[in-house]
Amino acid sequence: MKNIAAVLEYHDRTKHRPTRYAASLRYMDWATQPNPYRRYENTPLIPLFFSDTTPPYHLLFENHLLPKAPLCIESISQLLRYSLGLAAIKSHGGSQWALRCNASSGNLQPSECYIIAPAFKGLSNHPSLSHYAPREHALELLHNYNIDMEEGTFLVALSSIIWREAWKYGERCWRYCQLDAGHAIQAIRVSAAMLGWECEILSMDTTDIGALCGLDQYARFDSMEWESPDILIRIGHCTSFSLPTTPLLPYNANRLSPAHHEWPILKIIDTATQGTYPLTVPLTPSRHLPTPSKSSGEIVLKRRSAQMMDGSGITLEQFRQILNASLFCTEASDVHFMMFIHRVEGLERGLYAYVRNQTDLVSLIESMDITFKWKDYGEGLYLLKEGDYRGAAQMISCNQEIAKDGAFSFGMLCHFSKSLETYGAIGYKNLYHQCGSIGQMLYLEATSLGLSATGIGCFLDDEFHALLGLRDQSYQSLYHFTIGRAIIDTRITTLEPYTH
Ligand SMILES: Cc1cc2nc3c(=O)[nH]c(=O)nc-3n(C[C@H](O)[C@H](O)[C@H](O)COP(=O)(O)O)c2cc1C
């Protein structure tokens, strides 16, 4: 109960309201800007490979058609390259910054990745723990275990450095870190699918994930730059194995900022939401219209957030295809889209619901405005109310024009009370992971259709809930999103990463 109370307090306190945004510095303290790259000092660095050969994007949805890649350094290289690697270097006005395959709020990149693998050539002669260094596209070898580990399976652990986002976003940042973790999870799942691999999220205690990666060895980290364990993913065929024990590691984490601003609520919410990671009831999607497409690697590298959209429309087929792609985040079954449809051919403007999991339909109808029509358009799509919602979309998205200039924008409405009741406080963290995973998938689907998307973490929570007529906390919107056609800023030049 104590942890649930901490969640409810954090969630309410970090809502953006028209008269008061969640607490943050309100200015950019450039002197303390965190280094986006974690490194462990003096670790052996194992360079990874580059490969350009990836299957067509549409085949990822039918991955029984794809051959399973062998577990070797080349395939792990490809997995990391197309999930968490650098996708582009941007340059403008004398400054340069890297973008990655996984979207991240403010491009602050809190997610870190660890690999626990059996012995294999090119990495280590022993089972090992290593950390991914995206700038170098290399693995830092942290430990060789003196045990046997089943071949053909390896583990990917994800964690978040909360400070990276706290630097800019203050108290609301913990939400963004979790959404970013969701993006990273789906980025790994998609990259694994390119190799014919399936991912399984393990129902592990997050404390054990932290111990596995050495994140509980606090003396190795600056006290404000702790890493919070998020999730453990198993890739490969072996289902029974025991986790190795990681001893005290001799490598200290680099310091990311010379000084810090403390937001005590972040440690409280992070501690409250540790526990056994929940396994949700999966969706069973089917893909219609698998269209021939570009290579999946190209789509992953081309995925970009639109900064501005041109206000043009999309076809109904494109719209349906985007919604359908969201179902391939099969573990994200507690999320529905409440959509402002501005310009989709064949649909009148208005407020729509996309119910991704029909088991929630009755409770959604009962929770929302009783005057909504719930006119059935098939495949989970319902018209709630006709009208021009462009102004409302912009207002709710902290006045960001991309929400009105996209073809449609929406809030991801989550079955909040059910998750907390079923899974406890960690259900809150899990809901953000569900939303972030969907976000990453929709970015890729939009890119494959020649469209663009942008995740929207800045929105007025209760203004949106009021517009939907929600009267209590059974449903809460945790992430917003817009999809349309980007206006490209030609002043910014794009360079290839890893040219060295
Ligand atoms: C959780 C999350 C929240 C975001 N919120 C916003 C937002 O409110 N407004 C915006 O313009 N972009 C937003 N973005 C887009 C990021 O700024 C963008 O992903 C980042 O700059 C990296 O650029 P890229 O997506 O092109 O790689 C968000 C992205 C994520 C993942």
Side-chain angles (χ1 to χ4, degrees):
M1 280 315 286
K2 192 171 130 250
N3 289 343
I4 300 278
V7 164
L8 296 176
E9 136 112 70
Y10 174 80
H11 185 61
D12 188 59
R13 173 184 172 129
T14 55
K15 284 181 172 173
H16 280 335
R17 303 177 201 275
T19 50
R20 181 186 61 77
Y21 277 17
S24 72
L25 277 190
R26 308 244 181 279
Y27 64 90
M28 303 294 276
D29 180 11
W30 295 113
T32 59
Q33 185 180 17
N35 180 344
Y37 302 108
R38 164 128 288 165
R39 290 294 307 274
Y40 287 95
E41 289 157 5
N42 304 320
T43 43
L45 194 64
I46 295 155
L48 296 174
F49 291 83
F50 291 90
S51 107
D52 296 332
T53 322
T54 58
Y57 170 79
H58 71 277
L59 285 187
L60 304 186
F61 299 94
E62 299 180 76
N63 73 351
H64 58 279
L65 298 177
L66 292 173
K68 281 197 189 334
L71 176 55
C72 58
I73 191 79
E74 286 83 358
S75 51
I76 291 226
S77 301
Q78 181 174 321
L79 176 81
L80 293 167
R81 164 82 179 101
Y82 290 107
S83 55
L84 307 176
L86 307 191
I89 305 288
K90 294 281 174 178
S91 162
H92 178 56
S95 56
Q96 274 200 351
W97 63 100
L99 297 176
R100 304 200 196 172
C101 298
N102 53 313
S104 161
S105 182
N107 198 29
L108 293 166
Q109 301 291 352
S111 303
E112 295 290 327
C113 174
Y114 296 81
I115 301 287
I116 300 94
F120 63 79
K121 210 170 141 217
L123 178 59
S124 172
N125 295 331
H126 300 269
S128 65
L129 167 71
S130 51
H131 167 251
Y132 182 52
R135 183 176 44 187
E136 292 77 11
H137 187 50
L139 282 172
E140 296 181 301
L141 187 60
L142 291 170
H143 184 64
N144 282 319
Y145 296 106
N146 206 358
I147 51 153
D148 288 332
M149 207 174 146
E150 284 295 331
E151 286 183 9
T153 292
F154 68 101
L155 304 173
V156 179
L158 292 175
S159 63
S160 302
I161 303 176
I162 308 292
W163 161 246
R164 283 218 182 103
E165 294 265 352
W167 167 72
K168 181 172 178 189
Y169 295 116
E171 293 195 347
R172 194 170 162 101
C173 87
W174 185 88
R175 298 176 175 218
Y176 299 162
C177 290
Q178 305 312 319
L179 290 170
D180 284 6
H183 277 270
I185 292 165
Q186 189 63 18
I188 286 172
R189 195 188 285 284
V190 167
S191 192
M194 293 182 200
L195 292 153
W197 295 343
E198 277 174 36
C199 292
E200 188 196 359
I201 292 174
L202 299 178
S203 178
M204 297 286 308
D205 194 313
T206 47
T207 319
D208 294 337
I209 302 173
L212 179 66
C213 302
L215 308 182
D216 59 350
Q217 300 171 15
Y218 301 111
R220 295 171 46 237
F221 299 82
D222 179 281
S223 63
M224 286 293 296
E225 297 175 0
W226 40 276
E227 270 182 48
S228 175
D230 288 326
I231 199 161
L232 193 62
I233 299 169
R234 181 180 63 79
I235 298 179
H237 55 71
C238 173
T239 48
S240 72
F241 56 87
S242 48
L243 290 186
T245 304
T246 302
L248 183 62
L249 301 171
Y251 307 111
N252 288 335
N254 61 342
R255 189 150 182 204
L256 305 175
S257 295
H260 307 84
H261 306 270
E262 195 162 359
W263 302 97
I265 192 83
L266 297 178
K267 194 74 194 169
I268 295 171
I269 184 64
D270 202 63
T271 307
T273 50
Q274 300 301 326
T276 305
Y277 197 81
L279 296 183
T280 51
V281 182
L283 297 169
T284 45
S286 65
R287 182 81 171 161
H288 52 96
L289 297 174
T291 35
S293 60
K294 293 190 180 142
S295 89
S296 44
E298 188 182 337
I299 285 168
V300 162
L301 296 180
K302 287 237 161 86
R303 181 210 62 76
R304 289 279 70 82
S305 293
Q307 313 273 300
M308 291 173 287
M309 297 230 185
D310 70 3
S312 63
I314 62 171
T315 66
L316 187 57
E317 196 178 319
Q318 289 173 321
F319 176 73
R320 286 283 189 188
Q321 196 168 320
I322 290 167
L323 297 189
N324 182 258
S326 85
L327 299 176
F328 282 79
C329 301
T330 51
E331 273 110 5
S333 55
D334 300 312
V335 185
H336 308 285
F337 300 169
M338 297 301 140
M339 297 189 289
F340 301 122
I341 297 193
H342 309 314
R343 299 166 209 89
V344 176
E345 260 172 39
L347 290 181
E348 56 198 313
R349 276 189 171 153
L351 179 65
Y352 288 73
Y354 177 52
V355 180
R356 294 177 63 258
N357 174 358
Q358 288 291 315
T359 51
D360 282 341
L361 180 61
V362 173
S363 92
L364 279 167
I365 294 173
E366 285 172 355
S367 304
M368 289 163 60
D369 188 331
I370 46 165
T371 67
F372 285 162
K373 292 185 172 164
W374 291 95
K375 186 173 164 195
D376 192 348
Y377 277 64
E379 295 176 49
L381 183 66
Y382 300 86
L383 169 68
L384 304 182
K385 198 171 176 179
E386 300 91 347
D388 183 349
Y389 281 91
R390 283 176 297 178
Q394 178 174 345
M395 180 273 288
I396 282 164
S397 303
C398 299
N399 212 26
Q400 300 184 76
E401 292 186 354
I402 39 171
K404 84 162 165 45
D405 293 336
F408 65 107
S409 66
F410 56 97
M412 298 192 196
L413 194 68
C414 300
H415 209 157
F416 188 76
S417 57
K418 188 183 84 179
S419 284
L420 294 184
E421 276 158 26
T422 316
Y423 308 118
I426 198 170
Y428 184 51
K429 186 175 169 109
N430 171 259
L431 283 179
Y432 284 107
H433 293 178
Q434 294 192 28
C435 292
S437 300
I438 292 173
Q440 185 71 15
M441 192 68 239
L442 295 189
Y443 265 115
L444 295 178
E445 188 69 15
T447 311
S448 84
L449 291 166
L451 302 171
S452 288
T454 304
I456 300 181
C458 188
F459 57 89
L460 304 179
D461 303 65
D462 284 343
E463 264 45 43
F464 188 61
H465 298 143
L467 184 140
L468 298 175
L470 291 164
R471 293 170 297 278
D472 59 27
Q473 302 236 70
S474 25
Y475 287 91
Q476 294 283 285
S477 188
L478 300 186
Y479 191 21
H480 285 225
F481 217 77
T482 179
I483 296 185
R485 283 201 177 74
I487 300 174
I488 308 293
D489 186 344
T490 49
R491 294 167 306 167
I492 299 179
T493 44
T494 305
L495 310 166
E496 290 287 316
Y498 303 121
T499 41
H500 58 283

